[in-house]
Amino acid sequence: MEIIDILISGSFWAAVLRIASPLIFATMGELICERAGVLNLGIEGIMVIGAFAGWMAVYSGMGLWPGVMVAMAAGMLFGLLHATLTVPLGLSQHVVGLGVTLLATSAAYYAYRLALPQVSSPPRIEPFQPVDIPVLSDLPFLGEALFSQTPLTYLALITAGVVALVLYRTPLGLALRAAGENPAAVEAQGLSVTAIRMGAVIVGSGLMAVGGAFLTMSAFSSFFFEMVNGRGWICIALVVFGAWRPGKAVLGAILFAAFDALQIRMQQTPLGALVPYQVFLMVPYVLSILALVLMSRRAEVPAALMVPYNRGER
Amino acid sequence: MTQTTAAQDVVLRLTGITKRFGKLTANDDIGFALARGEVLALLGENGAGKTTLMNILFGHYTADAGTVEIFGETLPPGAPGAALKAGVGMVHQHFTLAENLSVTENIVLGTQSLWRAGLGRAAARDRIAALSRDFGLAVDPDARVRSLSVGERQRVEILKALYRDARILILDEPTAVLTPQEADALFDTLRRATAQGLSVIFISHKLHEVMAISQRVIVLRHGRVAGEVATADTDRHKLAEMMVGAEVALPHPGLGTPGEVLMELRGVSLPAQGRRSGLAGIDLALRAGQITGIAGVSGNGQSALADVIGGVTAPAGGALVVAGAEVTEWSPRAALDAGVGRIPEDRHATGSIADFTLTENAVLEAYATGQFSRRGWMDWRAARAHAAAIITTYDVRCPGPEARIRLLSGGNMQKLILGRALEAAPRIILANQPVRGLDIGALTYVQERLIAARDAGAAVLLISEDLDEVLALSDVIHVMSAGRLSPAFPRGSMTPARLGAWMAGQGFTDAA
């Protein structure tokens, strides 16, 4: 009974969208990379660096939106590193990705210690505030669920729409999808596989960093170690869950967020007194794995994913 | 011929193209001209320098000497895409299509600025429809490439070139993957294209096709132009001689002496899998000392038949009898143990492991036997000796037994696979498309080896799409159509026309 009460409350769905936002940004970023043929395991670290850079920029006196730009730039920088190693140099995408994650995470922690050596509890910044969309936010249920979010949540949804449009409705998206399927086809049509793949990884990494920045600038207003907490890895799974399609991937992010929001609320019900809370914490991950098994069976993996392209080699 | 081609009619001219790779001279002072509206055949064995020449033309390699002129303009060397922009379209042997995209998307890829807002799908589709009509290239513009047959994919490749207003089409071994009917349709398209003023370079080593479609032939041998003739003034025999530099005799073996039945299929059936045809109650007997030929258009159950005989699949119905006893457990290992030697249809996909060495590939079927391993440890010395023996006996041209097999040409790879199968002294030889894509030298060699194996008492099953090959080599011929197998026809009892009728499905009594 409590579950139904929770599911029909506007505040629950507002929380779902809030939790889904960083996942949507980072999933779109990963999806762009993978559609171009590059698996970006740097995602976890790039989210950390984005969370740190955006927060640090605002803490040092910049505005919130410039802070988002700083986070994005930091992500793109690590994206450039990842792209240089995996695309023209053709190194193993797994090893490079894990390396970028370790490097970016450590770099963020190191910079944090350098900037704030004496601090025991991290300082807070003034985060993005919810913005009510006129008229729409007055709608019953939907208004509370959808139209009283922070600007970054709106931006996440817009980003997903733009990614879908670019992928399916523009020559750029066409070239990107072809680069992940058969790079030789791109080359034969006189386009540069290297440029397309590097561009995809750099832009995708920028989006991942914005996803990380959401955590410090819209959700927790402060930077902690371990705050990204595996969200990057979840996004990798969400791309698979979404069968490399932006719409389905957003759906997956919302589904996962709903499980997460639900387990928090379930802990406060009478059932929560009986079951150890760790079980509730596990629920979203268990359900995600089940959903992944069901959804990704018929998925069409980009054929050239993780295959480095060397010109002139068959 | 060049002197008869008026200067203003020349659309492409190569002059003194030379390209060396280390000690090897791949192209040596090659020069010729292509005239407007003609089909020029570029004929040569594998390794004669055809591919290198095309890579230079497309700017993938930079020539050490020589120039490429297109419509009177000299192309900058080593600039990929320059030829594309100048109006040359190339249809590669391995298609360059993205399977996840639609036909239209594949065609417009790269033809517009990447920063354009929309795709202009409707206009593109109209243009593709018009081109399809004009050139007889039937293909659904909205279909996903993944769902297309090989013939349809080739049409998309040609449409790609035409969509970019190519005036010169280069086709690299275009018929290697086509059924005879599809090849005829392709030739029709090429005739329409030349009638509209396009020029075609047709790269091939199939002589009858060169004779059928081209007006002029350039023969390459060892990187040089070995000859240039008008097609009307030559014949298949002379072309073959120019290609290999000596007189060639295709094998025309006498009949074998049939012995006992070594393997028998009694009413074997297999359900169809996706687009792959199954088997509908097949009766087939393979006799010692006999070549049994299977003719038919590919995709009519040949792969299923080969899989059953090679042990990849067990029959779903009916019985498989080997050496007089019905088999119950049937696997690739069981087939090898029963003395089946296999030459698989696709030497890249199932015949070899590209990044393994020749040695490793040579022992793939026997690495666990006492010959090459002891108590679970590989005996590499014996394996290397075995590979070296195959390389010598079967004339595999390669850098050595430690080279990766990926580096070998198709013919040499096939010789290694042939050697691997024959050195195990098989009683039954399954040869599935054994000469597909091979040049004349390698083709003759493989065929002669199969005949020798037959004369030594093996039962050879020869599956081939090439009717001429089946007719020339087989002692008895069956035809496959829609998973059914015709009765056995002795050699000489059937004309190609009558076999063609069986291939089209006429004459079968049961409805499959």
Side-chain angles (χ1 to χ4, degrees):
Chain A
M1 280 309 99
E2 281 110 12
I3 292 192
I4 293 176
D5 287 340
I6 291 169
L7 288 181
I8 59 169
S9 77
S11 68
F12 169 75
W13 288 102
V16 168
L17 278 187
R18 199 162 58 237
I19 297 170
S21 298
L23 301 177
I24 292 173
F25 276 119
T27 303
M28 288 304 119
E30 182 67 32
L31 190 139
I32 293 173
C33 297
E34 293 194 18
R35 266 305 177 104
V38 182
L39 176 74
N40 191 343
L41 291 183
I43 184 169
E44 180 82 7
I46 290 170
M47 288 184 80
V48 175
I49 204 80
F52 171 77
W55 172 79
M56 195 68 218
V58 176
Y59 178 71
S60 359
M62 287 173 98
L64 282 167
W65 286 111
V68 172
M69 301 311 289
V70 167
M72 186 156 187
M76 290 171 88
L77 200 65
F78 280 92
L80 175 66
L81 174 68
H82 187 291
T84 310
L85 294 174
T86 53
V87 182
L89 298 180
L91 301 183
S92 156
Q93 296 179 5
H94 291 105
V95 176
V96 169
L98 292 176
V100 166
T101 280
L102 292 173
L103 178 68
T105 308
S106 316
Y109 295 172
Y110 181 61
Y112 175 84
R113 280 288 173 228
L114 276 187
L116 306 162
Q118 309 297 340
V119 178
S120 56
S121 77
R124 301 176 70 84
I125 58 166
E126 194 54 43
F128 280 107
Q129 296 302 320
V131 175
D132 290 348
I133 307 263
V135 187
L136 292 176
S137 59
D138 297 333
L139 292 171
F141 179 72
L142 278 183
E144 189 183 1
L146 273 176
F147 299 111
S148 302
Q149 298 284 356
T150 63
L152 279 185
T153 295
Y154 299 131
L155 185 64
L157 295 170
I158 293 167
T159 301
V162 170
V163 166
L165 270 181
V166 170
L167 269 187
Y168 292 106
R169 302 276 156 173
T170 68
L172 183 64
L174 189 60
L176 189 95
R177 286 185 288 143
E181 185 74 15
N182 184 357
V186 176
E187 179 86 28
Q189 293 286 59
L191 300 172
S192 163
V193 177
T194 308
I196 290 169
R197 286 190 163 178
M198 285 192 72
V201 173
I202 292 169
V203 171
S205 300
L207 288 181
M208 294 168 191
V210 175
F214 181 93
L215 298 175
T216 48
M217 302 176 67
S218 216
F220 301 115
S221 52
S222 182
F223 178 80
F224 316 101
F225 288 8
E226 311 295 338
M227 76 184 307
V228 174
N229 194 21
R231 282 182 177 82
W233 310 135
I234 289 292
C235 293
I236 303 247
L238 285 174
V239 172
V240 181
F241 176 86
W244 290 268
R245 294 171 166 275
K248 282 169 100 178
V250 168
L251 209 66
I254 289 174
L255 199 64
F256 178 83
F259 290 145
D260 204 18
L262 191 62
Q263 65 88 7
I264 295 169
R265 281 158 180 74
M266 289 300 284
Q267 285 186 44
Q268 285 135 25
T269 63
L271 186 68
L274 296 171
V275 183
Y277 74 94
Q278 286 91 342
V279 173
F280 289 103
L281 286 178
M282 275 192 287
V283 168
Y285 298 94
V286 172
L287 290 177
S288 299
I289 290 170
L290 284 178
L292 195 59
V293 169
L294 292 176
M295 290 283 294
S296 59
R297 279 212 174 134
R298 288 186 309 274
E300 289 172 1
V301 188
L305 181 60
M306 291 185 277
V307 183
Y309 181 68
N310 300 318
R311 235 179 75 196
E313 193 181 273
R314 292 213 174 271
Chain B
M1 276 306 287
T2 339
Q3 51 273 41
T4 60
T5 0
Q8 67 269 26
D9 272 353
V10 170
V11 293
L12 169 76
R13 188 190 297 280
L14 301 177
T15 324
I17 300 282
T18 301
K19 175 74 184 171
R20 289 181 204 89
F21 296 103
K23 277 187 208 157
L24 177 81
T25 307
N27 285 169
D28 190 359
D29 192 25
I30 292 181
F32 62 80
L34 175 69
R36 186 172 186 276
E38 81 166 336
V39 178
L40 172 68
L42 203 55
L43 188 66
E45 293 205 284
N46 295 330
K50 295 171 296 187
T51 309
T52 307
L53 191 64
M54 291 306 121
N55 276 327
I56 289 170
L57 176 52
F58 272 84
H60 295 313
Y61 297 155
T62 312
D64 297 320
T67 53
V68 180
E69 256 177 68
I70 296 175
F71 297 111
E73 306 272 331
T74 306
L75 282 193
L84 206 63
K85 285 197 189 71
V88 184
M90 173 126 187
V91 177
H92 293 271
Q93 204 177 348
H94 303 276
F95 299 146
T96 53
L97 297 171
E99 293 199 354
N100 61 341
L101 305 183
S102 75
V103 169
T104 305
E105 287 175 328
N106 264 290
I107 292 172
V108 300
L109 174 65
T111 59
Q112 38 195 336
S113 160
L114 288 184
W115 311 113
R116 231 182 91 127
L119 274 177
R121 237 178 263 260
R125 199 187 287 117
D126 289 349
R127 220 178 127 215
I128 293 165
L131 288 171
S132 303
R133 229 179 11 253
D134 294 351
F135 291 91
L137 293 160
V139 64
D140 172 10
D142 295 319
R144 290 240 260 164
V145 167
R146 193 185 302 282
S147 66
L148 299 185
S149 73
V150 175
E152 286 171 312
R153 288 177 194 215
Q154 186 175 63
R155 278 174 240 152
V156 178
E157 285 280 6
I158 297 173
L159 280 170
K160 259 164 76 176
L162 295 174
Y163 189 85
R164 285 175 167 259
D165 295 319
R167 304 301 298 159
I168 302 169
L169 271 180
I170 301 176
L171 299 120
D172 189 4
E173 306 271 355
T175 59
V177 291
L178 300 184
T179 64
Q181 291 86 337
E182 284 172 332
D184 285 343
L186 171 69
F187 288 174
D188 180 49
T189 297
L190 295 185
R191 284 187 198 104
R192 290 196 205 194
T194 48
Q196 298 192 23
L198 271 75
S199 311
V200 175
I201 297 183
F202 186 90
I203 303 173
S204 182
H205 55 235
K206 288 191 184 166
L207 297 168
H208 63 275
E209 286 171 358
V210 167
M211 292 303 297
I213 188 71
S214 70
Q215 278 94 54
R216 206 152 54 93
V217 186
I218 305 262
V219 181
L220 292 186
R221 189 171 73 233
H222 303 315
R224 294 169 158 273
V225 175
E228 177 179 349
V229 286
T231 312
D233 301 341
T234 187
D235 59 39
R236 286 166 70 163
H237 203 73
K238 285 188 202 149
L239 285 178
E241 266 182 55
M242 281 163 77
M243 246 167 94
V244 296
E247 210 162 312
V248 219
L250 285 173
H252 283 285
L255 284 173
T257 356
E260 53 175 330
V261 174
L262 295 180
M263 183 188 266
E264 197 178 352
L265 279 67
R266 291 184 191 149
V268 165
S269 62
L270 205 65
Q273 270 185 347
R275 279 164 53 192
R276 203 181 97 145
S277 172
L279 297 176
I282 279 184
D283 295 305
L284 174 69
L286 301 180
R287 286 176 181 279
Q290 196 174 53
I291 295 183
T292 307
I294 307 281
V297 177
S298 80
N300 275 287
Q302 291 97 326
S303 325
L305 176 66
D307 281 355
V308 166
I309 291 171
V312 178
T313 14
L320 180 66
V321 181
V322 178
E326 186 177 335
V327 294
T328 45
E329 293 293 315
W330 194 234
S331 66
R333 176 53 49 201
L336 286 173
D337 291 344
V340 178
R342 305 174 300 172
I343 301 168
E345 180 176 16
D346 186 337
R347 53 184 161 266
H348 300 280
T350 46
S352 62
I353 301 177
D355 283 316
F356 274 23
T357 63
L358 270 76
T359 302
E360 288 165 329
N361 274 293
V363 299
L364 272 186
E365 293 183 332
Y367 61 91
T369 62
Q371 196 182 353
F372 301 118
S373 63
R374 237 162 250 117
R375 292 190 204 89
W377 294 93
M378 281 299 299
D379 181 356
W380 286 116
R381 187 195 296 264
R384 254 189 300 276
H386 182 66
I390 292 177
I391 289 168
T392 324
T393 319
Y394 293 84
D395 188 27
V396 183
R397 313 242 170 100
C398 64
E402 293 307 300
R404 290 186 303 160
I405 202 163
R406 170 194 289 287
L407 301 171
L408 267 58
S409 71
N412 284 312
M413 202 184 278
Q414 192 73 335
K415 284 184 193 168
L416 184 91
I417 292 169
L418 180 78
R420 177 176 75 197
L422 294 187
E423 285 300 293
R427 299 279 289 139
I428 302 159
I429 297 168
L430 164 66
N432 193 357
Q433 314 288 355
V435 300
R436 180 189 270 173
L438 300 192
D439 59 52
I440 290 200
L443 176 151
T444 330
Y445 183 84
V446 170
Q447 291 184 342
E448 278 166 356
R449 280 290 177 164
L450 290 176
I451 295 159
R454 174 200 74 179
D455 292 341
V460 179
L461 180 69
L462 171 70
I463 302 177
S464 175
E465 286 159 31
D466 186 346
L467 200 51
D468 293 343
E469 182 188 12
V470 175
L471 282 169
L473 299 188
S474 313
D475 298 307
V476 291
I477 299 172
H478 293 269
V479 181
M480 280 199 97
S481 175
R484 299 163 300 180
L485 193 73
S486 77
F489 307 117
R491 185 199 301 184
S493 69
M494 293 294 271
T495 61
R498 287 182 62 202
L499 285 177
W502 278 91
M503 283 157 76
Q506 295 162 25
F508 289 94
T509 46
D510 59 298

